[in-house]
């Protein structure tokens, strides 16, 4: 199956790609299927059932809201995030929704939207079943969808074939430089004389012109920058019972005040003073915190490759454009995103991007690996060094559990993005100091990540039934 850079990087809403973006897309697809099959006018009732991890942490991750919006025909990329509250209030206060935006019908959320915490569909932990009935109670349509991580949705038809990596409409295009492993990616680069970004661009031309590729990726970058900017100026408390305080705005003000005060400033809490060589880490932390606080609040983010790990690629890309070289350019940003996507594709095809399937190593670990590789590339690394950076980024996230406290994408998720962003920068720098040769290949670490995820107890995989999730009491 051919995968585009724009499959890896998708514009959506928080707080979760697998629990918010995926269910929203699936519910919308179900409504559209009813419309395309001419069943919309006959439909009097719809029911949605969420299983496994969706059932366990769906409410904390906004799956209920996502389903309602998706059934009404809204798309995570285009929906006005400022209007979401009013849309949900209208559905819930009237007890009615407009299926596919066209067909009014009664919708009782308690009766028609069910969460099955202890029941899992066979194909994937993030399963959901959508059903439609006519006025007489006869079943019109019954479909299962699986949110397999990163906002990707798999249909029950694809699941029947055992192809979890397939999209709802798999693209069977033959690309000029196909690759299915890290070793094959390096061989393709060597044979063609292209960088990883150049090879990705050649493949992307199958669907788009160079101008369209550049415009699309710069739009992704603009959304990332907007997300950081919103996070840096927004104060307040994040949704949920823990009343987590947003920190990015205060940190931003302190860093800016310190920068304006010039030499001799005392810095933040006695650190970060004039000449502090690690002050840049405060800014990297800021960028990641800003994105993931926006994500936790249900704001507009770029799935990179998931929402729970959405802050890492933007934080490292901000580091590149604002701190590494004054001459960092739009071309460098584009190459960064193309390189990161190539690494993300390898994890998607050969392991998983789903915290519910392999733990947080499949989210934060993958994002760190992608960002490390991309930074190494734009800092002048050869493909072999880039592959090494990607391997380092994941190797030191192996076994990372997904244990969201309260089922919310807040603790430890927000800080985890900041820590992983710094690790990605260090991984890139370590790889650049080497010659690209190393004992553990990227393919071996991806295989190990997949096997580790398979061995991991379910309670540590986005169910909020293990780890920090059960050791932190809600106040």
């Amino acid at each position: 199956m051919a995968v585009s850079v724009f499959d890896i990087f998708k514009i959506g809403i928080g707080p979760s790609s697998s629990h918010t973006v995926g269910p929203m897309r699936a519910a919308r697809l179900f409504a559209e299927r009813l419309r395309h099959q001419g069943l919309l006018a006959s439909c009097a009732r719809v029911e949605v059932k969420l299983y496994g991890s969706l059932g366990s942490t769906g409410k904390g991750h906004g799956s209920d809201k996502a389903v309602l919006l998706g059934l009404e025909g809204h798309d995570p990329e285009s929906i006005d995030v400022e209007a979401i509250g009013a849309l949900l209030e209208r559905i819930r206060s009237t007890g009615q929704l407009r299926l596919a935006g066209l067909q009014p019908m009664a919708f009782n959320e308690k009766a028609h939207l069910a969460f099955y915490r202890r029941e899992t569909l066979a194909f994937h932990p993030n399963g959901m079943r959508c059903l439609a009935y006519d006025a007489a109670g006869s079943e019109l349509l019954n479909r299962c969808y699986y949110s397999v991580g990163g906002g990707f949705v798999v249909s029950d038809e694809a699941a029947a074939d055992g192809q979890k990596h397939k999209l709802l409409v798999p693209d069977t295009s033959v690309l000029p430089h196909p690759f299915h492993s890290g070793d094959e990616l390096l061989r393709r680069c060597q044979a063609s004389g292209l960088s990883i970004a150049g090879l990705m661009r050649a493949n992307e031309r199958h669907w788009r012109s160079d101008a369209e590729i550049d415009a699309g990726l710069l739009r992704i970058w603009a959304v990332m920058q907007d997300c950081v900017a919103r996070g840096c100026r927004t104060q307040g408390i994040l949704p949920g019972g823990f009343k987590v305080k947003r920190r990015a705005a205060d940190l931003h003000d302190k860093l800016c005040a310190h920068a304006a005060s010039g030499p001799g400033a005392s810095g933040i809490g006695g650190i970060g003073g004039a000449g502090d060589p690690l002050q840049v880490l405060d800014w990297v932390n800021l960028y990641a915190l800003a994105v993931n606080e926006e994500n936790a609040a249900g704001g507009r983010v770029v799935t990179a490759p998931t929402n729970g790990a959405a802050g890492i690629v933007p934080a490292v890309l901000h580091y590149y454009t604002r701190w590494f070289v004054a001459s960092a350019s739009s071309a460098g940003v584009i190459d960064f995103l193309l390189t990161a996507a190539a690494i993300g594709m390898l994890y998607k095809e050969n392991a998983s991007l789903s915290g519910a399937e392999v733990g947080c190593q499949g989210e934060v670990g993958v994002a760190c690996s992608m960002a490390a590789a991309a930074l190494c590339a734009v800092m002048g690394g050869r493909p072999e060094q880039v592959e090494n950076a990607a391997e380092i980024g994941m190797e030191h996230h192996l076994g990372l559990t997904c244990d969201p406290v309260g089922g919310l994408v807040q603790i430890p998720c927000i800080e985890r993005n900041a820590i992983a962003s710094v690790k990605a920068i260090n991984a890139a720098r370590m790889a650049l100091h080497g010659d690209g040769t190393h004992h553990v290949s990227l393919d071996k670490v991806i295989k190990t990540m997949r096997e580790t995820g398979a061995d991991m107890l379910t309670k540590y995989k986005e169910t909020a039934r293990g780890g920090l999730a059960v050791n932190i009491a809600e106040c």
Side-chain angles (χ1 to χ4, degrees):
M1 181 190 70
V3 178
S4 163
V5 61
F6 298 104
D7 293 321
I8 298 297
F9 295 115
K10 295 183 288 292
I11 299 170
I13 59 171
S16 172
S17 50
S18 60
H19 286 56
T20 314
V21 175
M24 187 172 172
R25 293 182 66 208
R28 182 175 184 269
L29 287 162
F30 181 71
E32 286 298 307
R33 186 160 191 162
L34 285 168
R35 185 173 67 84
H36 289 151
Q37 293 185 198
L39 298 172
L40 205 57
S42 304
C43 186
R45 185 175 90 253
V46 293
E47 294 181 3
V48 178
K49 302 176 180 181
L50 304 175
Y51 297 90
S53 181
L54 292 181
S56 296
T57 61
K59 289 190 177 180
H61 286 59
S63 301
D64 48 349
K65 302 172 185 177
V67 168
L68 297 182
L69 296 169
L71 289 174
E72 284 221 331
H74 295 288
D75 178 79
E77 179 170 347
S78 60
I79 190 171
D80 179 1
V81 293
E82 302 297 332
I84 288 176
L87 289 169
L88 293 169
E89 171 60 24
R90 188 252 303 158
I91 294 170
R92 287 167 168 166
S93 63
T94 64
Q96 280 201 332
L97 59 76
R98 292 191 287 265
L99 191 61
L102 299 169
Q103 175 76 357
M105 67 175 57
F107 190 85
N108 182 328
E109 195 169 345
K110 289 185 178 180
H112 300 154
L113 180 56
F115 291 82
Y116 294 89
R117 296 173 55 87
R118 302 289 179 175
E119 187 176 344
T120 302
L121 300 183
F123 178 69
H124 192 276
N126 292 333
M128 56 188 286
R129 183 180 297 277
C130 301
L131 304 103
Y133 302 90
D134 64 18
S138 298
E139 187 178 283
L140 295 173
L141 190 63
N142 182 335
R143 286 288 179 272
C144 285
Y145 299 94
Y146 301 90
S147 181
V148 297
F152 288 95
V153 176
V154 172
S155 66
D156 45 3
E157 293 93 342
D161 294 335
Q163 301 296 319
K164 73 173 64 176
H165 62 280
K166 285 187 177 180
L167 303 179
L168 282 161
V169 184
D171 192 327
T172 56
S173 302
V174 178
L175 301 178
H177 303 288
F179 59 90
H180 304 283
S181 68
D183 286 347
E184 187 176 9
L185 176 59
L186 291 179
R187 289 196 300 270
R188 293 277 183 183
C189 288
Q190 184 177 23
S192 65
L194 295 170
S195 65
I196 292 175
L199 187 141
M200 281 289 293
R201 177 179 288 275
N203 284 344
E204 201 67 31
R205 286 180 184 135
H206 173 78
W207 297 289
R208 301 168 181 86
S209 67
D210 280 330
E212 290 170 330
I213 295 167
D214 293 347
L217 290 174
L218 290 176
R219 180 178 178 236
I220 293 291
W221 173 224
V223 174
M224 289 178 172
Q225 292 178 91
D226 289 345
C227 187
V228 168
R230 287 195 308 274
C232 286
R233 66 173 180 261
T234 306
Q235 303 272 1
I237 304 297
L238 293 173
F242 287 93
K243 302 188 184 304
V244 173
K245 184 179 183 294
R246 295 177 71 135
R247 291 179 287 173
D250 285 344
L251 178 57
H252 176 261
D253 291 346
K254 290 176 181 177
L255 289 173
C256 289
H258 167 62
S261 61
S266 61
I268 302 169
I271 64 169
D276 182 355
L278 297 182
Q279 188 184 79
V280 64
L281 300 188
D282 296 328
W283 287 94
V284 173
N285 288 334
L286 169 66
Y287 304 140
L289 292 173
V291 171
N292 285 88
E293 287 176 357
E294 276 297 296
N295 179 64
R300 175 83 64 211
V301 298
V302 174
T303 299
T306 70
N307 282 32
I312 298 165
V313 168
V316 177
L317 190 43
H318 273 75
Y319 165 80
Y320 163 66
T321 58
R322 300 187 184 188
W323 289 89
F324 172 57
V325 287
S327 60
S329 64
S330 295
V333 169
I334 291 166
D335 283 350
F336 186 107
L337 293 173
L338 287 169
T339 305
I343 302 304
M345 290 173 186
L346 294 176
Y347 284 99
K348 172 172 171 48
E349 180 167 346
N350 298 300
S352 175
L353 306 178
S354 171
E357 190 170 22
V358 295
C360 200
Q361 57 176 0
E363 298 200 35
V364 163
V366 172
C368 179
S369 183
M370 292 167 59
L375 181 61
C376 180
V378 296
M379 289 173 70
R382 293 178 289 103
E384 293 80 9
Q385 293 171 305
V386 172
E387 184 263 358
N388 187 197
E391 180 273 322
I392 295 171
M394 173 54 76
E395 185 176 356
H396 303 289
H397 281 95
L398 289 173
L400 186 63
T401 60
C402 186
D403 48 354
V405 177
L408 301 166
V409 193
Q410 298 177 13
I411 305 170
C413 319
I414 296 172
E415 284 184 356
R416 195 169 277 176
N417 275 254
I419 299 300
S421 298
V422 174
K423 290 172 75 172
I425 294 169
N426 197 27
R429 296 177 69 88
M430 289 181 70
L432 285 166
H433 283 297
D435 61 4
T437 59
H438 50 109
H439 291 287
V440 180
S441 70
L442 177 59
D443 290 331
K444 291 290 177 60
V445 84
I446 291 175
K447 180 176 183 289
T448 302
M449 186 269 269
R450 184 185 68 241
E451 293 172 346
T452 303
D455 291 340
M456 192 180 291
L457 294 176
T458 300
K459 69 179 183 178
Y460 296 117
K461 294 193 281 189
E462 209 167 8
T463 59
R465 298 202 297 265
L468 285 175
V470 298
N471 286 307
I472 306 295
E474 186 171 348
C475 298

